[in-house]
Amino acid sequence: MVNDPISPIKFQLFSFLFFFITVTTIKAQEQHVAILIEVKNIDFKPVKDSEIKIESDQNKYSATTNGKGISVITLIPGTYKIEIRKNGILGYSNRISVSKPETFAISFTEKINRIEEVVITAKEGKGLTSSSIISQRAMQHLQPSSFSDLLELLPGGRSTDPVLNQVNKIQLRETGNPGTDYNTSAMGTIFLVDGAPLNSGSNLQYTYDFLDKTNNGLKRRLNMTSGVDMRSISTDQIERVEVLRGIPSVVYGNLTSGIVKITNRSGYTKWRARFKADGYSKLFALSKGFENKEHDLKINAGIDYLNAKSDPRDRLENYKRITANLSLIKEKKHNAGTSRWQTNLSYTTSLDGSKSDPDIDLSDLNSYEVNNHLLSLSNTFTYTKNEPVFYRSTEVQATVNQRFDKIKQTKFIQLENATAFPLSRTEGEYDGYYPEARYISNYMVDGKPLDVFVKMVNNFQLDLKPFKNEFNTGFDWQLSKNWGDGQLFDVYKPIDPKSTFRPRAYRDIPAYVTSALFLESISTFEPGRHKLTLALGIRGNLMMNLPSHFRMNGKVYPDPRANFQWELPSFNWMQKKAQIALTLGYGKQSLFPDLSLLYPELIYKDIQQLNYFHNTPDYRRVNYKTMIYNPQNPGIEPAMNEKFEARIDFSLGAHQLSVTAFKENMHNAFRSMNEYAQYQYKKYDTSTLNHEAITTPPDVNTLPYQTISENFTYATQRNGSRIDKEGIEFQYSSHRIPVINTRFTLNGAWFLTKYGNSFPVYRGRDLTINGRPYPYLGLYEGMEPNSVNEVLNTNLMLDTYIPKLDLIFSSSIQFSWYSMRKLDPMNGIPSHYVNQDGIVLPFDPDAARGTILENLIIAQNDARYNTTRRPLETNLNFKVTKSFRHKTVVVSMFANRLFSYYAPYSINGITINRKGAYDPYFGMEINFNL
């Protein structure tokens, strides 16, 4: 089921009343003044989530800085002692006098052993939603080629060799490989680069070459309805990555699974050059940052190039990527506030293709190429008030992403028999065309997806003792339109002789438009030494520019979300400060269908009524009846994922432990399903013709014929997939043990994922009876293979930092303790069947015995439903990073699967021995900072 929609008018009235009541609760507090505290570290970067305590003999106040390192505190004028801590470590202590509203700029210097700051793996966030934070230093030690490599650092992640000859889809909190009918999870993971979304709702790049079972290379390079291809994201300009796996703020929407927030470098940096080489790829990157403090201007630019092969021995298949980024930041101080303007311009091109080997393919012509270009321009304007009043800040963002995508394919076609092609683009009876027996098809798909995204977030704060309240309200709007020419080819030389489609221009498809309003309150209450934080939010999602017959037309789909955190009083244990925090979350996340789901291609059913092939070409004739079916599903609705989450965080000095349990249910994800239809056609009889005496093609007006009715199935998009996830994620990191300067990090996850189909399906039988296709269709409940997938992974990392040598080396032992897959038994007996007249009737299996209907009972192979369980798999990975001349030169190398052990197992009495199944994977890189 989907969310119960509410009308737009009710939603707007609700939002207005909520906001009006909030504003009218403001009380004048003339005896108080508000101060703004801005905390930055020694590199002049904001210190997020630092704890501020201000005390006098009569009053005590506390606050936490936001993502910009800013906090506003309302207090009574007087003299106070101020202390600022981060992770329990004191970084600033002083006395201040407050008599009027003013701003305090504070430099935060942590008085700790600097080796504790060297973190080369992901850190678990301590906010209201579970997240993993990956720093630039962790990425440098990992030595990634693309964003896909970073997923190793998430709980439950494992290192894998790069697979750059196919689309890299993201899977969060998920195990198993169920196929394209379960792409909603990947499609529903939002990628944000400096706040700008990368996801496109108008990607229509696919090929008509569906029936060529020998060519999977092209299919695996297409990522329609599967989200962002992580191969296209370079890591060389990234400063920080945060992967939100839990329930995010209602500020973020049109998603189901999670958010990947990427922050690129800004401000001054030295010249940086990186060269990486491994068995699969070569990568080169160059970047530089400039800063003019007098004019508060920051500029950062970078470019990188990747050339990769799926197999180093195969020179005919490769993947290339070029990425260029330019970032400008301008800040200006005003009398009442500070404004910040950030512009990001980026260009990414991916070239992915293959050619046939002339030693194998004598035609020496077959080739394909997937060519994608992305030009992105993003502008973000932020205004923050200096003096703490009810209104605090506004952020406005506008992003334009223009893609230029092409699929180019050349294919040699050799027809097996006297094949004919239909050419009509309208319904009716038409003559077809006999092509040459051998021809070369040149095929191109031209796509120009345009995505425009606008978002505004307003922040308000209201402190009413003993509560501190923060409010976020705003809207977002997105338009996606494809201006491409679509499928381009010679209809007399189609790429697939059996295709049931006709070329269409993408620019003729209507635009995809969504909008949303959101309202969120974050309240903090500190009774005694406890700290309670509650975030409540509601988001209303609306799809516009839809035809009136769509069920989604004019409906608002609400996403309620709530997160609660309880920080218990800190205490001393073993001469260290200990802290415990409990976090609970619940929320709904909705994802609208994209253009390909809303406006699928028309299906052309071309039935040969006459195929008279004569040795004399002038006497030949082929006649078709063309019928057109629209597979569009106006009843399609947003996919909705309902999420529950519970987390406990424990810290003891520098020791950190985080354990998260979650459960996710999505029962209306998108999938392709069969629908049935009936057609009638004429079957002409040419047996009475004298083939030796004929002087003209047969005349269909004089030939005898038989009228035939048949059923058939075609694919349509429905909310039919079910994806249920549950699991436990954990991560522990120790302090660095003295003398050896080594930190232990243990993380892992247990994932249980169930895939299934929510609706019954129509199926025919691939049988021929008396020279005719089997006439009936069955409607089957549970005829799709529902699967249960389970895995338990852990990763133990030991990383050592030697300051005198500026050397970091780490070893990680990755365990997959077991992985399991089980298919639920399918029901091979239909509940209903479709007869020859297209009427749906109940199916009685007893009455069907001994009749032609018995063929609808599909025998099941019980062996298929045996549980497949793979036992222990262990890999030892090693990485080392060495700096020279004060980090002017940094050299790194890695060796994955330096040691591997894969326990043997049995399937149906056959022992599978995997010893030596996987080879080690080596690589190295060098970085220059000049």
Side-chain angles (χ1 to χ4, degrees):
M1 294 182 64
V2 297
N3 305 23
D4 292 331
I6 60 178
S7 69
I9 296 177
K10 290 181 180 179
F11 176 74
Q12 293 172 6
L13 287 174
F14 171 77
S15 301
F16 174 78
L17 288 174
F18 189 93
F19 182 75
F20 178 77
I21 293 170
T22 301
V23 173
T24 54
T25 57
I26 303 175
K27 299 180 180 180
Q29 302 182 43
E30 298 177 352
Q31 71 274 24
H32 289 72
V33 296
I35 60 173
L36 185 145
I37 298 176
E38 184 177 16
V39 184
K40 293 186 177 182
N41 60 18
I42 57 175
D43 298 320
F44 301 101
K45 294 184 178 180
V47 180
K48 178 185 176 183
D49 297 329
S50 59
E51 303 168 358
I52 303 174
K53 289 190 176 181
I54 300 178
E55 298 181 356
S56 67
D57 294 337
Q58 294 81 22
N59 301 290
K60 294 182 179 180
Y61 305 93
S62 63
T64 303
T65 56
N66 60 19
K68 302 181 180 71
I70 294 174
S71 180
V72 178
I73 302 175
T74 302
L75 44 70
I76 298 174
T79 301
Y80 294 90
K81 178 183 178 182
I82 179 172
E83 291 184 349
I84 302 178
R85 287 178 167 83
K86 176 70 182 242
N87 297 328
I89 300 168
L90 183 66
Y92 180 83
S93 179
N94 208 339
R95 299 190 70 83
I96 59 173
S97 295
V98 179
S99 59
K100 60 180 181 179
E102 58 183 305
T103 298
F104 293 89
I106 293 175
S107 178
F108 187 86
T109 55
E110 298 176 270
K111 301 174 183 178
I112 60 173
N113 190 341
R114 306 300 289 184
I115 66 171
E116 289 288 355
E117 295 182 340
V118 179
V119 178
I120 60 172
T121 187
K123 293 180 63 175
E124 285 297 285
K126 295 184 178 181
L128 291 172
T129 183
S130 58
S131 65
S132 297
I133 300 169
I134 304 171
S135 67
Q136 185 184 44
R137 193 155 196 172
M139 286 184 281
Q140 184 183 54
H141 188 70
L142 185 65
Q143 305 163 58
S145 296
S146 71
F147 194 90
S148 305
D149 298 328
L150 300 186
L151 300 186
E152 173 189 346
L153 301 178
L154 303 183
R158 301 187 69 204
S159 64
T160 57
D161 293 353
V163 183
L164 297 172
N165 65 339
Q166 67 182 38
V167 169
N168 289 186
K169 299 182 293 185
I170 192 170
Q171 281 189 312
L172 293 180
R173 292 179 162 178
E174 192 171 344
T175 184
N177 186 21
T180 57
D181 282 335
Y182 301 93
N183 275 342
T184 305
S185 291
M187 179 182 172
T189 300
I190 303 299
F191 283 75
L192 301 173
V193 180
D194 291 323
L198 279 181
N199 300 56
S200 175
S202 56
N203 177 21
L204 298 171
Q205 293 301 97
Y206 59 97
T207 172
Y208 287 153
D209 195 13
F210 292 119
L211 299 180
D212 186 353
K213 304 300 182 184
T214 65
N215 181 14
N216 292 316
L218 179 57
K219 297 178 181 64
R220 66 173 181 257
R221 287 168 161 83
L222 307 180
N223 69 323
M224 191 173 64
T225 70
S226 59
V228 172
D229 183 359
M230 293 186 292
R231 294 180 303 169
S232 65
I233 304 178
S234 167
T235 62
D236 290 285
Q237 281 292 102
I238 297 178
E239 180 77 25
R240 181 178 185 268
V241 174
E242 183 175 11
V243 181
L244 281 75
R245 310 185 306 272
I247 297 98
S249 163
V250 293
V251 171
Y252 306 103
N254 204 23
L255 57 94
T256 59
S257 298
I259 302 172
V260 178
K261 299 173 69 175
I262 298 172
T263 303
N264 281 333
R265 295 188 193 126
S266 62
Y268 173 79
T269 59
K270 297 180 179 180
W271 280 102
R272 295 186 177 185
R274 177 192 179 206
F275 176 75
K276 177 189 175 182
D278 58 38
Y280 298 91
S281 63
K282 305 290 187 295
L283 185 149
F284 177 76
L286 182 68
S287 65
K288 178 72 173 79
F290 308 89
E291 188 167 347
N292 188 324
K293 294 184 179 180
E294 180 180 353
H295 295 92
D296 291 323
L297 179 65
K298 301 176 182 178
I299 302 175
N300 203 288
I303 187 170
D304 69 85
Y305 170 74
L306 171 70
N307 188 343
K309 297 182 181 298
S310 59
D311 186 334
R313 300 162 295 183
D314 185 359
R315 60 183 178 84
L316 300 172
E317 184 173 9
N318 67 352
Y319 172 78
K320 297 178 181 179
R321 182 194 68 215
I322 300 174
T323 305
N325 291 282
L326 176 64
S327 172
L328 293 89
I329 298 176
K330 170 69 175 176
E331 295 183 353
K332 186 175 182 180
K333 297 184 183 295
H334 309 276
N335 292 333
T338 302
S339 62
R340 184 178 187 269
W341 186 284
Q342 180 171 351
T343 296
N344 295 286
L345 178 64
S346 66
Y347 170 75
T348 301
T349 180
S350 299
L351 181 62
D352 195 356
S354 177
K355 296 181 179 180
S356 60
D357 188 340
D359 294 332
I360 300 174
D361 183 357
L362 298 180
S363 69
D364 193 19
L365 291 171
N366 292 342
S367 66
Y368 56 85
E369 180 179 285
V370 181
N371 202 335
N372 300 319
H373 303 267
L374 169 62
L375 185 63
S376 177
L377 176 63
S378 175
N379 287 277
T380 303
F381 175 78
T382 306
Y383 177 78
T384 305
K385 291 282 290 184
N386 288 339
E387 295 186 2
V389 292
F390 176 62
Y391 164 72
R392 295 300 167 86
S393 67
T394 293
E395 181 176 283
V396 179
Q397 183 191 58
T399 302
V400 178
N401 293 335
Q402 177 65 68
R403 296 171 60 97
F404 301 91
D405 300 335
K406 278 186 171 57
I407 299 173
K408 298 179 181 179
Q409 186 176 7
T410 299
K411 187 175 182 181
F412 174 74
I413 305 294
Q414 182 165 348
L415 301 176
E416 298 175 356
N417 47 40
T419 303
F421 297 158
L423 301 175
S424 173
R425 302 193 65 168
T426 58
E427 290 189 319
E429 298 183 0
Y430 304 93
D431 284 350
Y433 165 74
Y434 285 109
E436 300 175 13
R438 304 170 67 186
Y439 64 87
I440 297 172
S441 178
N442 292 303
Y443 177 75
M444 185 171 73
V445 185
D446 177 67
K448 297 182 178 67
L450 170 69
D451 296 279
V452 180
F453 182 79
V454 178
K455 183 176 184 177
M456 182 176 73
V457 182
N458 300 293
N459 179 260
F460 305 87
Q461 292 187 19
L462 176 65
D463 293 341
L464 297 174
K465 286 188 174 181
F467 295 95
K468 296 178 181 178
N469 303 285
E470 181 178 348
F471 302 94
N472 293 305
T473 182
F475 74 92
D476 62 46
W477 178 89
Q478 182 169 359
L479 176 144
S480 293
K481 171 70 177 175
N482 198 312
W483 296 99
D485 292 329
Q487 314 281 342
L488 302 173
F489 62 94
D490 184 351
V491 293
Y492 295 98
K493 297 179 178 180
I495 196 77
D496 179 5
K498 300 179 182 180
S499 174
T500 59
F501 301 93
R502 303 289 192 271
R504 70 165 175 172
Y506 293 160
R507 58 179 176 271
D508 296 335
I509 301 173
Y512 165 104
V513 181
T514 64
S515 64
L517 292 173
F518 50 84
L519 180 62
E520 178 183 51
S521 68
I522 305 173
S523 301
T524 304
F525 175 50
E526 298 189 27
R529 295 169 56 208
H530 297 260
K531 183 179 181 181
L532 307 175
T533 305
L534 176 65
L536 298 173
I538 182 74
R539 179 184 177 90
N541 306 287
L542 174 68
M543 174 166 273
M544 302 180 292
N545 198 40
L546 280 176
S548 59
H549 65 284
F550 270 80
R551 185 179 298 173
M552 293 185 294
N553 181 51
K555 292 183 179 180
V556 176
Y557 293 85
D559 283 359
R561 299 174 197 170
N563 287 287
F564 172 75
Q565 188 172 73
W566 176 19
E567 296 181 33
L568 280 71
S570 61
F571 57 94
N572 291 324
W573 186 28
M574 295 187 295
Q575 299 180 341
K576 293 182 175 64
K577 179 184 177 181
Q579 182 76 51
I580 299 176
L582 305 174
T583 307
L584 300 174
Y586 167 81
K588 293 184 177 181
Q589 300 173 170
S590 298
L591 174 70
F592 282 113
D594 66 3
L595 275 187
S596 64
L597 302 175
L598 292 171
Y599 303 102
E601 279 205 87
L602 296 176
I603 296 174
Y604 290 77
K605 186 69 175 177
D606 302 295
I607 304 298
Q608 276 191 7
Q609 301 186 123
L610 170 68
N611 189 349
Y612 184 77
F613 189 85
H614 198 278
N615 291 333
T616 303
D618 291 340
Y619 302 160
R620 298 171 186 172
R621 186 168 190 179
V622 59
N623 183 267
Y624 286 92
K625 182 175 182 179
T626 297
M627 291 151 286
I628 303 176
Y629 298 88
N630 188 352
Q632 184 182 78
N633 176 19
I636 197 169
E637 294 197 90
M640 188 275 290
N641 192 15
E642 188 174 27
K643 305 177 74 169
F644 304 85
E645 181 176 279
R647 187 177 87 245
I648 180 169
D649 295 301
F650 174 73
S651 63
L652 179 64
H655 297 266
Q656 306 284 333
L657 173 65
S658 177
V659 180
T660 304
F662 67 88
K663 186 177 180 65
E664 303 183 15
N665 301 109
M666 181 163 53
H667 292 172
N668 66 332
F670 309 122
R671 74 181 292 134
S672 176
M673 297 188 65
N674 285 340
E675 187 56 78
Y676 84 93
Q678 189 181 55
Y679 59 89
Q680 287 185 339
Y681 66 98
K682 301 172 184 176
K683 191 68 175 177
Y684 289 99
D685 184 5
T686 60
S687 61
T688 59
L689 295 178
N690 185 346
H691 305 295
E692 301 296 333
I694 195 170
T695 58
T696 60
D699 184 0
V700 294
N701 295 315
T702 61
L703 285 176
Y705 64 86
Q706 178 186 5
T707 300
I708 298 175
S709 297
E710 291 182 357
N711 297 314
F712 85 107
T713 60
Y714 61 90
T716 185
Q717 297 293 335
R718 300 182 68 185
N719 296 101
S721 283
R722 184 175 72 249
I723 307 173
D724 294 332
K725 308 177 190 178
E726 59 182 285
I728 298 174
E729 302 165 317
F730 58 90
Q731 176 159 316
Y732 162 75
S733 62
S734 72
H735 74 301
R736 289 203 178 275
I737 300 174
V739 182
I740 61 174
N741 293 339
T742 300
R743 172 188 284 125
F744 291 83
T745 302
L746 175 66
N747 66 31
W750 168 74
F751 292 142
L752 177 67
T753 308
K754 299 178 182 179
Y755 301 102
N757 179 15
S758 305
F759 295 148
V761 295
Y762 287 102
R763 279 195 174 182
R765 298 305 309 274
D766 189 15
L767 302 173
T768 301
I769 298 178
N770 296 327
R772 296 268 308 277
Y774 184 75
Y776 301 116
L777 301 174
L779 181 63
Y780 298 85
E781 298 276 357
M783 193 55 194
E784 292 291 330
N786 299 339
S787 66
V788 180
N789 304 267
E790 188 176 353
V791 69
L792 174 61
N793 293 339
T794 62
N795 182 10
L796 175 63
M797 175 183 282
L798 292 78
D799 67 274
T800 301
Y801 175 48
I802 304 177
K804 291 183 179 180
L805 300 178
D806 207 354
L807 174 69
I808 305 173
F809 60 89
S810 67
S811 57
S812 62
I813 309 174
Q814 297 183 342
F815 298 91
S816 178
W817 297 98
Y818 71 91
S819 59
M820 182 272 290
R821 176 177 172 83
K822 183 180 184 301
L823 294 178
D824 292 338
M826 294 187 293
N827 183 8
I829 301 176
S831 61
H832 295 76
Y833 74 98
V834 182
N835 68 10
Q836 291 173 296
D837 297 323
I839 300 174
V840 179
L841 299 172
F843 183 84
D844 185 348
D846 295 329
R849 302 290 180 185
T851 70
I852 190 174
L853 281 174
E854 187 177 12
N855 290 288
L856 289 176
I857 301 175
I858 303 175
Q860 300 299 303
N861 182 3
D862 293 338
R864 184 184 183 190
Y865 307 122
N866 294 335
T867 300
T868 302
R869 189 181 182 93
R870 301 178 67 171
L872 176 67
E873 299 179 0
T874 306
N875 295 322
L876 172 63
N877 303 330
F878 179 80
K879 296 179 175 64
V880 61
T881 301
K882 175 70 174 76
S883 300
F884 300 91
R885 295 182 178 273
H886 307 288
K887 301 188 185 301
T888 301
V889 180
V890 181
V891 179
S892 305
M893 67 159 291
F894 67 87
N896 289 348
R897 295 191 303 275
L898 197 61
F899 166 80
S900 299
Y901 172 73
Y902 298 88
Y905 63 100
S906 298
I907 297 180
N908 298 327
I910 301 175
T911 300
I912 307 297
N913 192 333
R914 298 176 289 169
K915 183 178 180 181
Y918 301 95
D919 296 325
Y921 168 45
F922 301 93
M924 67 167 296
E925 69 175 56
I926 183 169
N927 292 264
F928 298 94
N929 301 295
L930 306 176

